[in-house]
Amino acid sequence: MELKPPASLRREHEELHAELAETIEAGGNTGNAAKKVADILHAHFLKEEEYALPPLGMLPVLAEGTVLPEMQAVIELTDRLKADLGHMLKEHEEIVTALKSLIRAAEGEGNEKAVIFAEKLMLHAQTEEDVLYPASILIGEYLKLKLSRRLISQN
């Protein structure tokens, strides 16, 4: 069973990376501030794509009621996210601080597109905190319950 983030989330990350690259290319104070965002964001996105978002790819299957023994691998990812959640949220704080600096620089240079991008990325981070991370963790907790019940009923 291949675990990967939903295509919509992968696409959103790709678009955010592309917009960040454009913002860096703008140069000036805006580009410098965007580079600082990129320095913080890159490692964070890698972690998300490694273990925070792939469990969400299971939602359609789980919503249909399908639970398979090989889904145990999902629990390892969600346990890792649960253990690292405080650090992930701290990284969001650092990213938002860098984005606020980007907004100030972009406003100073009249770069409306960079301001809109920074605001969009802050909303993305908030969505992860409010919805995506908790949903991913709940998937793991749900699978723990379902898979343990399955084992008990088989014995």
Side-chain angles (χ1 to χ4, degrees):
M1 174 169 291
E2 185 178 2
L3 295 174
K4 57 186 180 181
S8 58
L9 293 177
R10 285 195 321 268
R11 174 69 188 239
E12 184 177 10
H13 273 193
E14 290 167 5
E15 288 175 6
L16 290 168
H17 274 296
E19 288 181 65
L20 182 56
E22 279 181 37
T23 307
I24 291 169
E25 289 173 14
N29 292 332
T30 299
N32 291 335
K35 177 71 172 114
K36 290 178 184 172
V37 171
D39 291 342
I40 300 167
L41 192 63
H42 180 69
H44 182 77
F45 267 11
L46 289 177
K47 287 195 280 189
E48 287 180 342
E49 292 169 8
E50 181 183 344
Y51 60 88
L53 301 179
L56 298 172
M58 302 299 303
L59 281 171
V61 174
L62 293 173
E64 293 173 354
T66 304
V67 177
L68 304 169
E70 56 264 34
M71 291 179 177
Q72 181 70 34
V74 175
I75 295 170
E76 294 170 22
L77 298 180
T78 60
D79 283 350
R80 186 171 174 195
L81 173 60
K82 193 173 184 179
D84 197 32
L85 186 60
H87 189 256
M88 297 288 279
L89 298 177
K90 179 72 172 151
E91 288 176 350
H92 274 189
E93 290 175 16
E94 294 169 7
I95 291 164
V96 168
T97 297
L99 287 167
K100 288 178 180 178
S101 294
L102 171 57
I103 288 171
R104 285 190 300 276
E107 286 175 340
E109 294 177 336
N111 188 334
E112 178 74 16
K113 189 174 180 181
V115 171
I116 292 169
F117 161 72
E119 290 171 346
K120 181 166 76 171
L121 187 49
M122 285 192 288
L123 179 60
H124 173 82
Q126 192 64 52
T127 300
E128 288 176 340
E129 291 179 22
D130 294 345
V131 180
L132 302 181
Y133 294 168
S136 195
I137 291 168
L138 280 173
I139 288 167
E141 297 303 311
Y142 173 79
L143 286 172
K144 285 177 189 178
L145 288 171
K146 287 296 207 173
L147 291 172
S148 69
R149 286 183 186 158
R150 175 178 255 167
L151 286 174
I152 291 170
S153 69
Q154 289 176 351
N155 291 331

